[in-house]
Amino acid sequence: GQQVMQIPQYQHVQEGEDFTTYCNSSTTLSNIQWYKQRPGGHPVFLIQLVKSGEVKKQKRLTFQFGEAKKNSSLHITATQTTDVGTYFCAEPSGGYQKVTFGTGTKLQVIP
Amino acid sequence: DSGVTQTPKHLITATGQRVTLRCSPRSGDLSVYWYQQSLDQGLQFLIQYYNGEERAKGNILERFSAQQFPDLHSELNLSSLELGDSALYFCASSVAPFSDSPLHFGNGTRLTVT
């Protein structure tokens, strides 16, 4: 089956430090989505990337889609305690009917 | 508020029992997805429906079944429950069955099997 690897699994950072999570797929993707799940909450859609090499920004968050459309990254600049949570990438699979989530990166921000 | 409603919020039951989890999608969304999330684990795709039809299946156990009704709400039935079925079950909805539609998640049903 489709493998959606995310690294790292956990990341502890000091408040103000940067953070990056990477998502790697075994197949070429049509698009990739990113979600954030706060502790005790449900996943919330952040963004979708479609084009090869695409870069999108949301305030301190920068999302990139690889040139080969097989990997993606999420970078947070100057983390804040509100960034705490688990970040998931999500990929289409099974003929576009199924959305497979990555293993997730759990971010802890130390104030 | 995502607009996706899941009931009940919590469910505690014994091994061997059967439970039904309910999901009402966002207004206008035709597609419903079910995911299982065990403690500190990722989101495992179970099944997807679009406008009443099953469209995709993940690693869903034979003891589990689901359906989507004409009013678009969906139910996930879990039977012959085992301790390992304890998890958070999320329902998500989207406008279309294609994966370029963002998923909107409900708050989940936390199932505890004792």
Side-chain angles (χ1 to χ4, degrees), chain B residues 27-110:
Chain B
S27 176
D29 285 358
L30 299 178
S31 217
V32 169
Y33 301 73
W34 286 97
Y35 286 86
Q36 179 192 56
Q37 186 173 45
S38 301
L39 190 64
D40 281 341
Q41 296 296 311
L43 292 151
Q44 299 300 316
F45 172 75
L46 296 178
I47 200 163
Q48 186 222 0
Y49 284 84
Y50 174 71
N51 207 18
E53 290 186 12
E54 181 187 305
R55 284 298 183 98
K57 238 177 180 177
N59 294 326
I60 187 168
L61 300 171
E62 284 191 13
R63 300 183 286 110
F64 295 1
S65 65
Q67 54 184 327
Q68 186 180 29
F69 295 87
D71 68 352
L72 301 177
H73 91 270
S74 178
E75 291 181 356
L76 178 66
N77 301 297
L78 314 176
S79 61
S80 302
L81 285 167
E82 301 175 359
L83 295 177
D85 297 328
S86 296
L88 196 49
Y89 290 85
F90 284 109
C91 165
S93 72
S94 69
V95 170
F98 304 107
S99 56
D100 58 355
S101 300
L103 300 186
H104 301 273
F105 283 80
N107 289 329
T109 293
R110 183 168 295 283

Side-chain angles (χ1 to χ4, degrees), chain A residues 33 35 37 42 48 92 97 99, chain B residues 35 37 48 99 103 106-107:
Chain A
Q33 297 171 354
Y35 293 78
Q37 184 177 20
H42 59 271
Q48 176 170 275
Q97 304 289 354
V99 181
Chain B
Y35 286 86
Q37 186 173 45
Q48 186 222 0
S99 56
L103 300 186
N107 289 329

Side-chain angles (χ1 to χ4, degrees), chain A residues 38-58:
Chain A
R38 292 181 188 272
H42 59 271
V44 174
F45 174 76
L46 294 176
I47 209 158
Q48 176 170 275
L49 304 172
V50 179
K51 298 177 185 175
S52 168
E54 187 171 16
V55 178
K56 284 189 176 179
K57 293 191 176 185
Q58 286 180 351

Side-chain angles (χ1 to χ4, degrees), chain A residues 69-99:
Chain A
K69 299 182 76 173
K70 283 191 171 184
N71 56 73
S72 182
S73 66
L74 157 59
H75 179 81
I76 302 178
T77 304
T79 54
Q80 299 175 359
T81 54
T82 53
D83 296 324
V84 165
T86 302
Y87 293 84
F88 293 98
C89 61
E91 307 174 10
S93 57
Y96 297 89
Q97 304 289 354
K98 190 164 81 171
V99 181

Side-chain angles (χ1 to χ4, degrees), chain B residues 11-20 63-64 78-86 110-114:
Chain B
L11 204 47
I12 302 174
T13 189
T15 53
Q17 294 299 306
R18 172 190 168 95
V19 296
T20 297
R63 300 183 286 110
F64 295 1
L78 314 176
S79 61
S80 302
L81 285 167
E82 301 175 359
L83 295 177
D85 297 328
S86 296
R110 183 168 295 283
L111 173 66
T112 303
V113 182
T114 62

